Amino acid sequence: MKTLRYILLLLLVLLVPFGQAMASASETDEKEKVDVKDVIFSHIKDSYSWHLFSTNKRHYSIYLPVIVYSKEMGGWSAFSSRRLEHGAEYNGYHISETSGKVVYINGEGAEVRPFDMSYTKVAMSLTINALLLLAIVLCCGRWYRKHDSPSSKVPGGFVGFFEYVVTMVGDDIIKPGVGPEYKRYEPYLLSVFFFIIMSNLLGLIPIFPAGANVTGNISITMFLALCTFIAVNVFGNKEYWKEILWPDVPVFLKCPLPLMPLIEFFGILTKPFALMVRLFANMMAGHVIILSLTCVIFVTAPMGAAINGSMTVVSILFMVFMNMMELLVAYIQAYVFTMLSSVFIGMSRPKEHIEKKE
């Protein structure tokens, strides 16, 4: 508790005078006002560059490669996103103000999106997260290779914690959800769990190479849900498909009008859709709330030192609370996604079929 008090006191000492300075500056210059909408959407949306920091009105960013293809524009084109900075145009391409994507103007004067294979901020963050997770797994694997004898000591520290989490996920989530054939799907489900929790936690750290809104991007959650969809439906056994196409219900519900098969077919689609939207909505909402609370400090700056100072205190307290909640949500969302994926996979492998097979 004492450490938390010192951290809060330090934040108050740093931010209250800064908020007061913003108040005096905004009285003389209208352009210094914070655009809350731009701050929030610039963080939760994908982009072609990664902003690092700003000093003396100069911005420092990592400019990523733009790779696009359009037959109208002469085929493939690759260049740095710096050429499109501040609304500039390069080779006929520019960044749309509405969508934030690279577009070009066709002969009719309309904005058209080319085939876009650009290496964006989210793609770069995915690479960093994957490499970091790979490094963690390889380091733990290296410890086990050095201590593979029966008399080896029990792992401690980070390796022991990692082993505990793997065992917990395998025994408490995957094994009960999938059933007897859980080992077949355990590598995929463990990878999904650790990827989601790694991306969630790194998304809460506001400094490079963390801070990107990976799991708050619906394209990422859609791909994860698609992987579960493939694992469920491609590897489902005959009994699973029999229950969908010809369920054990009265015949008039199946023929001549296939009412129950149609309902079951929509159930196939709604399961991955629920996985996709749940993860996306929860993580994006958390980022929006934290950013909104941060902007309160600077939005109230023109209202004077008294109001700005009090709102700074309130904003910091709520931000600390929300960040702690987001740490819990980061784990819960990884847990829920893995648990539901395990249950859906287990439903595609009915136990009756496995028992008959044995």
Side-chain angles (χ1 to χ4, degrees):
M1 289 296 295
K2 287 184 178 179
T3 306
L4 181 59
R5 282 185 216 155
Y6 291 145
I7 293 173
L8 290 174
L9 183 61
L10 179 62
L11 288 172
L12 289 174
V13 170
L14 291 175
L15 289 177
V16 172
F18 184 66
Q20 294 172 352
M22 284 288 294
S24 60
S26 59
E27 291 174 358
T28 57
D29 191 354
E30 291 291 330
K31 294 181 180 180
E32 293 296 324
K33 291 183 179 179
V34 176
D35 188 348
V36 178
K37 182 179 177 181
D38 181 65
V39 169
I40 294 175
F41 280 95
S42 63
H43 174 77
I44 63 175
K45 288 199 307 183
D46 200 2
S47 64
Y48 296 94
S49 62
W50 195 323
H51 179 73
L52 301 178
F53 58 91
S54 301
T55 57
N56 297 326
K57 297 184 180 181
R58 184 177 178 183
H59 304 287
Y60 295 88
S61 303
I62 297 175
Y63 296 98
L64 302 170
V66 177
I67 307 169
V68 291
Y69 173 83
S70 173
K71 191 175 181 180
E72 294 181 69
M73 302 298 290
W76 288 98
S77 184
F79 50 90
S80 171
S81 59
R82 187 167 190 171
R83 297 184 178 274
L84 303 179
E85 193 178 13
H86 304 305
E89 184 176 316
Y90 182 76
N91 284 352
Y93 294 103
H94 67 277
I95 296 179
S96 173
E97 295 181 359
T98 55
S99 65
K101 301 295 183 180
V102 171
V103 295
Y104 65 92
I105 306 296
N106 63 5
E108 299 176 356
E111 287 187 346
V112 180
R113 283 194 60 188
F115 179 69
D116 198 342
M117 289 284 292
S118 303
Y119 191 67
T120 60
K121 178 181 177 180
V122 171
M124 185 178 180
S125 182
L126 279 172
T127 306
I128 294 171
N129 295 354
L131 291 175
L132 183 58
L133 184 58
L134 182 63
I136 292 172
V137 173
L138 291 178
C139 287
C140 294
R142 184 180 179 185
W143 188 94
Y144 284 104
R145 283 195 300 271
K146 290 182 177 180
H147 303 82
D148 58 351
S149 61
S151 60
S152 298
K153 61 178 182 179
V154 177
F158 181 78
V159 178
F161 174 74
F162 192 80
E163 180 183 336
Y164 167 77
V165 176
V166 170
T167 305
M168 182 273 295
V169 174
D171 293 346
D172 297 343
I173 303 176
I174 299 174
K175 189 175 180 179
V178 177
E181 296 183 318
Y182 73 97
K183 289 186 178 180
R184 182 181 182 183
Y185 302 95
E186 198 169 26
Y188 162 67
L189 293 170
L190 283 171
S191 300
V192 166
F193 176 84
F194 283 107
F195 172 77
I196 292 175
I197 197 170
M198 177 73 70
S199 300
N200 291 351
L201 293 175
L202 289 178
L204 297 176
I205 303 173
I207 12 181
F208 181 82
N213 186 31
V214 176
T215 45
N217 188 300
I218 198 165
S219 301
I220 306 301
T221 59
M222 181 177 66
F223 178 78
L224 293 173
L226 181 62
C227 291
T228 298
F229 175 80
I230 293 172
V232 170
N233 295 286
V234 173
F235 301 104
N237 57 30
K238 294 180 181 179
E239 279 70 17
Y240 167 73
W241 285 106
K242 180 179 178 297
E243 290 176 2
I244 292 175
L245 301 176
W246 197 257
D248 189 15
V249 294
V251 178
F252 68 87
L253 293 175
K254 300 180 286 187
C255 185
L257 182 65
L259 182 61
M260 286 303 298
L262 189 62
I263 293 174
E264 292 289 343
F265 177 77
F266 278 106
I268 294 175
L269 302 177
T270 54
K271 290 172 185 175
F273 182 79
L275 288 175
M276 173 185 72
V277 173
R278 180 183 289 106
L279 179 58
F280 159 72
N282 280 280
M283 299 315 301
M284 186 187 69
H287 283 254
V288 170
I289 292 172
I290 291 173
L291 287 169
S292 301
L293 290 171
T294 306
C295 290
V296 168
I297 299 172
F298 306 105
V299 169
T300 57
M303 300 178 184
I307 295 177
N308 181 238
S310 59
M311 290 306 298
T312 299
V313 175
V314 173
S315 177
I316 290 173
L317 292 175
F318 274 103
M319 275 194 292
V320 171
F321 173 74
M322 281 305 304
N323 273 282
M324 291 182 176
M325 286 293 295
E326 280 299 299
L327 288 174
L328 181 61
V329 170
Y331 169 76
I332 290 175
Q333 290 306 313
Y335 184 97
V336 169
F337 193 99
T338 309
M339 180 189 67
L340 291 179
S341 297
S342 302
V343 171
F344 295 155
I345 292 173
M347 292 170 63
S348 70
R349 313 289 299 175
K351 295 180 180 179
E352 293 80 4
H353 169 77
I354 298 171
E355 289 172 358
K356 289 177 183 177
K357 187 176 179 182
E358 290 177 349

